[in-house]
Amino acid sequence: MGRRRIRSRIRKSHFYTFRCLRPKTLEDQGPHIINGPGYTRIVHCNQPHMHLAKVLRYTSNYVSTTRYNLITFLPKCLYEQFHRVANFYFLVAAILSVFPLSPFNKWSMIAPLIFVVGLSMGKEALEDWRRFMQDVEVNSRKAIVHRGDGEFGRRKWKKIRVGDVVKVEKDQFFPADLLLLSSSYEDGICYVETMNLDGETNLKVKRCLDVTLPLERDDAFQSFSGTIKCEDPNPNLYTFVGNLEYDGQVYPLDPSQILLRDSKLRNTSYVYGVVIFTGHDTKVMQNSTKSPSKRSRIEKRMDYIIYTLFALLVLVSFISSLGFAVMTKMHMGDWWYLRPDKPERLTNPRNPFHAWVVHLITAVLLYGYLIPISLYVSIELVKVLQATFINQDLHMYDSESGTPAQARTSNLNEELGQVDTILSDKTGTLTCNQMDFLKCSIAGTSYGVRASEVELAAAKQMAIDLDEEQGEETTDLPRTRGRMHGYAKMPSKTSSDIELETVITATDERDQTQSTGVKGFSFEDQRLMSGNWLYEPNSDDILMFLRILAVCHTAIPEVDEDTGKCTYEAESPDEVAFLVAAGEFGFEFTKRTQSSVFISERFSGQPVEREYKVLNVLDFTSKRKRMSVIVRDEKGQIFLLCKGADSIIFDRLSKNGKTYLEATSKHLNGYGEAGLRTLALSYRKLDETEYSVWNSEFHKAKTSVGADRDEMLEKVSDMMEKELILVGATAVEDKLQKGVPQCIDKLAQAGLKIWVLTGDKMETAINIGYACSLLRQGMKQISIALRNEEESPQDPEAAARESILMQIINASQMIKLEKDPHAAFALIIDGKTLTYALEDGIKYQFLALAVDCASVICCRVSPKQKALVTRLAKEGTGKTTLAIGDGANDVGMIQEADIGVGISGVEGMQAVMASDFSIAQFRFLERLLVVHGHWCYKRIAQMICYFFYKNITFGLTLFYFEAFTGFSGQAIYNDSYLLLFNVILTSLPVISLGVFEQDVSSEVCLQFPALYQQGPKNLFFDWYRIIGWMGNGVYASVVIFSLNLGIFHVQSFSSNGQTADMDAMGTAMFTCIIWAVNVQIALTMSHFTWIQHALIWGSIFTWYIFLALFGMLPPKISGNIFHMLVETLAPAPIFWLTSLLVIAATTLPYLAHISFQRLLNPLDHHIIQEIKHFRIDVQDERMWTRERSKAREKTKIGVTARVDAKIRQLRERLQRKHSILSVMSGMSGTSASASSDTTSTTHHS
């Protein structure tokens, strides 16, 4: 369309929400008082060059989310690396190794440190580079900016300056915080989507000042200038205070004129705005706080193990240096080769304290290999690879949205395997946040034969109950894709037949689409479709009902030019569902103009376009719980059309408007029990005089200035919204996400507790609880709520606290006194009550009650309350919590929980951006925890334990040799060996353990969910197991040193009688260590791939290759290792036999332990491994099924728990029947015996 102006001639101020309406004469309101601290910003509009002066120079629009830059990377990253205790120790050790006191070559300490720290810094640099590239992409976006003389051109975002005039077109993001000057609409309004800011998908309306409305073309800015004085940059998204000085007048500004960066322009062709805040001064950047630092429980415990090893290092060093001091004092005089007549300071027998201090430093360096230098970098590398596997898991890929799972941080992988409690949002998390128009009640008649998911589950359960009572086999509910009406009778042995309403529902989403063909419309009932409603008894009421659906809203239609179909932008998904339903019934909302809406009515013959002039809109708020529109139809009649919560509408009905009240109330109760969201619809006919009087009052309230403006508007609105006539009610379904009940069932079998925290009303949350099996029939519900009598004039707050505390105490006592082991309790509490329950004097009693209950549902809770409940569960229980949600209101609990999972749903990406892991559907949480969580926990736990084992094995041999040589500080190993041990020869196998190890396959993890409890119970990283691995390391070090010393020290080891020197013995001992630790890790693994084989046996082979090649180097480089393998060790059979002997001796305790454990006290995965190994699951499927049924935690929620409860009921009924039959049989036997005796007596007589 080129530069041609597109004017959408709609004056929204006539009908849009009265929140956004402003007095027509802004000059009368007066400017804000702008002075003092916090209000120092001055913006010269259309004069950005004036902000080059130092006083007015503001931050640029360049945005950076990186942690480092070229200058700060090195110092900041080095600080973070050496903030770790182990790295700091090795830094000190590397510095000390430069001095003569070091027992090693300095490079044997410096090189590993450089490698480990360099690798970690490289990872940091790579992650920061990715953030930098994202910043480059954002900063390089183009915006249309005024260049001068009324000419506009494109400029990169990062070059936009304060004071620039910017033109933003439809569906573009705002590049900075702007003051709205004008828009394509005549009265200067525009629609803004703030999903990136607050997660809300509904559109917000903004409106410019009337004085800037003439700035409607590019050339209008040729001479435009003005000054804005306003507040300083701050993070408050919903407040703004400032004044605009323009044409000699001062005009007040408020948030309704501010367009925030990263929000998007919608349903508006273009807007003009002037830049107020740029870059990091914008409100979105002011709100971009860093996510809280989270560490897994294993990582925290690992710190204590490091401290334990430090204590062991200090102890060994102290013993060694003390031994050296004693040897110096007692025996130095006898060692003539050390020239005691001319002693050095270190070996002076007259000053043993000096010898002790100096040797202590040497010993600390010598035994530093007890601390695994490569532990941190190996764990980081393993976690990154684990996160990659999570990201690439096709079983967690959502094909519909094209969204994979994403591990946004790799620090918490193992924490996924230790979750105890899941705290979940409802809307958009358990449900789809997709509203489907399902049923309606019109003129006392209920329409809609399709069942909700809750109704379907209830009907199936009723059928099962009936069959159980009758002792018959369970039969499926009749299903058909056709339309059936009435009732289906089921045979019964009782005197009266029991009737079940036949519910017709699509078996899956594909069937549903085929059945209706329209998204958001799942209604089925021929009585209303295709104009058939004209033949219903109350067709006039149905006509009014359908017109209310089509007219009573604030939506904007968008017509697809290709298909001609309308889509709608509305404040809520419910409103969209109503409009879609109205269109399907023949009342399609097609156009909105300056003050009218147009409805295409097609129900009898050709479509007829009708115009309804919108006179006023009374907006829906959480306080009012209703919305109304006042319209004039083509006949000149004025109607008030109202929709809202049933409790609000029913209180405003006239006497003759209650005709359908009883029937509608009954239908609404049924809809609520079916898990549907309901609204009541009503209307009122107005006469001209009454409306004119009221409209003048409304206009006064609308244009008033003051803090009570909104209150006045509500009061005037209440005057009109009375004497209503009830027409009917709507019922829409917020559908469960696919696989939610099955996922919850599996998580419950894994032993996880599930709490639901939702802002929805209690009835809806309870119904959803039934649908996903968090609640079930027979479960005792504990409802904690404020009572009406608590609202007493004498200190109602204290009365409320006391009442809630007593309810909690009584409920806890009831649970303790419950004798039925199968009894299940559900705790239900609303947000108002929760305010008191979370206070210091009550919250721990509340937590104890919640923990004792099988399920917890918190309704009507605020985002802050979600975070507080999460914190209480995390800190009060001391166990791992996981929060999952999809909206901006879930960010608090996601960040508060130990693990935050965001669902990339329709409520924006705010939850995902704040999360640690993101998935597309709730059902993927099952695999994320039960499979990946279980694997990652065991891998990391075994990896860390093995790390400490191998370093203790290696480090203590240095201590033994030093003690053997009189605590001389002499190292038995060549410096090159020390360099290779942690970095190359033993690092890759342990990484393969952390990446590829599987105790069981993913299918088995899902079939045996109880395996997950190994994580929460911490079976593989408790102190018993850690100390066991350390003890194994001590044993291995003793065996290796003793055998090598015994074999090589006192006898020749070659055919020519050559005895082993220190280097030969050190090389042989080091070879035994390499073999022992690599064979040990091979025995530890349960699952092998070619990669693990290559890395384990390749590490051993690499040692021999290195020894051979290094020995070939000139003696100046290789030193005493020259030809060590080829000429000295390899020809000697005893060298190879010693290696075999050491391997057998060092692995014997582990083999014995694991054999006895599998034989006498096997863990669950041991049994499964043996079944799989011997293919018993294939040979005996019944046994495999039986084992699977056993391998689940005892739970009282989920589908399985519901089935178990039914089985128990059936058994009790059978037992009662058997008891009755036994009693009757006994009675008949006694009767027969008595009869026989009587007959015998008579015969005798």
Side-chain angles (χ1 to χ4, degrees), residues 521 550 568 577-589 600 602:
F521 186 72
Y568 305 103
F578 295 151
L579 289 172
V580 170
E584 292 299 309
F585 291 136
F587 292 74
E588 184 177 11
F589 168 50
S600 175
R602 57 181 195 285

Side-chain angles (χ1 to χ4, degrees), residues 187-247:
D187 55 354
I189 65 105
C190 69
Y191 296 94
V192 176
E193 181 186 271
T194 59
M195 183 184 294
N196 287 341
L197 302 181
D198 54 19
E200 296 181 8
T201 55
N202 56 298
L203 301 182
K204 313 293 192 305
V205 67
K206 302 286 185 178
R207 178 181 172 179
C208 69
L209 296 173
D210 290 342
V211 71
T212 61
L213 280 174
L215 301 171
E216 58 184 9
R217 298 183 308 275
D218 290 358
D219 55 14
F221 292 93
Q222 185 172 357
S223 59
F224 167 70
S225 65
T227 303
I228 299 171
K229 295 181 179 179
C230 64
E231 63 187 20
D232 293 335
N234 62 76
N236 299 321
L237 292 173
Y238 307 108
T239 62
F240 182 83
V241 177
N243 292 327
L244 170 65
E245 297 178 7
Y246 180 61
D247 281 348

Side-chain angles (χ1 to χ4, degrees), residues 709-816:
R709 176 173 173 269
D710 288 347
E711 185 177 343
M712 292 175 61
L713 280 169
E714 289 191 14
K715 188 177 296 184
V716 175
S717 300
D718 283 341
M719 293 167 55
M720 181 57 71
E721 293 170 324
K722 61 183 181 181
E723 300 298 315
L724 302 175
I725 298 174
L726 180 66
V727 181
T730 60
V732 296
E733 181 179 28
D734 191 358
K735 299 183 73 63
L736 281 177
Q737 285 191 11
K738 181 181 178 181
V740 165
Q742 294 80 6
C743 177
I744 288 177
D745 185 49
K746 192 72 71 174
L747 294 174
Q749 292 180 38
L752 294 163
K753 303 181 184 71
I754 301 174
W755 297 7
V756 174
L757 312 179
T758 178
D760 264 339
K761 60 184 181 181
M762 185 175 292
E763 295 80 6
T764 305
I766 290 174
N767 293 328
I768 295 299
Y770 276 107
C772 58
S773 296
L774 284 172
L775 302 176
R776 57 179 169 82
Q777 297 296 328
M779 181 179 280
K780 299 178 182 178
Q781 295 183 12
I782 300 172
S783 181
I784 308 296
L786 292 170
R787 311 299 181 193
N788 292 330
E789 58 267 18
E790 292 157 19
E791 300 176 2
S792 58
Q794 296 87 12
D795 198 0
E797 297 283 331
R801 289 190 192 91
E802 184 178 355
S803 172
I804 292 168
L805 182 59
M806 287 305 299
Q807 290 181 59
I808 293 173
I809 292 174
N810 292 338
S812 300
Q813 193 68 20
M814 179 179 67
I815 294 175
K816 290 179 181 177

Side-chain angles (χ1 to χ4, degrees), residues 957-958 961 972-973 1037 1040-1042 1044-1045 1048 1063-1074 1135 1142:
T957 57
L958 291 167
F961 181 76
I972 190 173
Y973 305 122
S1037 65
I1040 291 170
F1041 179 78
S1042 302
N1044 278 276
L1045 183 67
F1048 289 101
D1063 294 296
M1065 181 177 170
T1067 303
M1069 192 181 301
F1070 193 81
T1071 302
C1072 292
I1073 290 174
I1074 296 300
F1135 167 71
V1142 166

Side-chain angles (χ1 to χ4, degrees), residues 43 118 120 125 174 185 255 288 312 373 425 437 448 526 564 587 660 662 747-748 811 918 988 1011 1086 1104 1117 1129 1147:
V43 178
S120 297
F174 299 114
Y185 290 113
S288 60
L312 178 61
I373 186 173
D425 176 41
F437 190 94
Q526 286 300 316
F587 292 74
Y660 309 122
E662 183 178 352
L747 294 174
S918 68
L988 295 180
L1011 287 174
S1086 303
Y1104 288 110
I1117 299 175
L1129 295 178
T1147 57

Side-chain angles (χ1 to χ4, degrees), residues 994-1015:
V995 175
F996 299 107
E997 170 64 359
Q998 295 179 14
D999 55 346
V1000 293
S1001 66
S1002 60
E1003 292 79 8
V1004 172
C1005 284
L1006 296 172
Q1007 291 173 346
F1008 293 80
L1011 287 174
Y1012 182 82
Q1013 277 300 305
Q1014 293 178 343

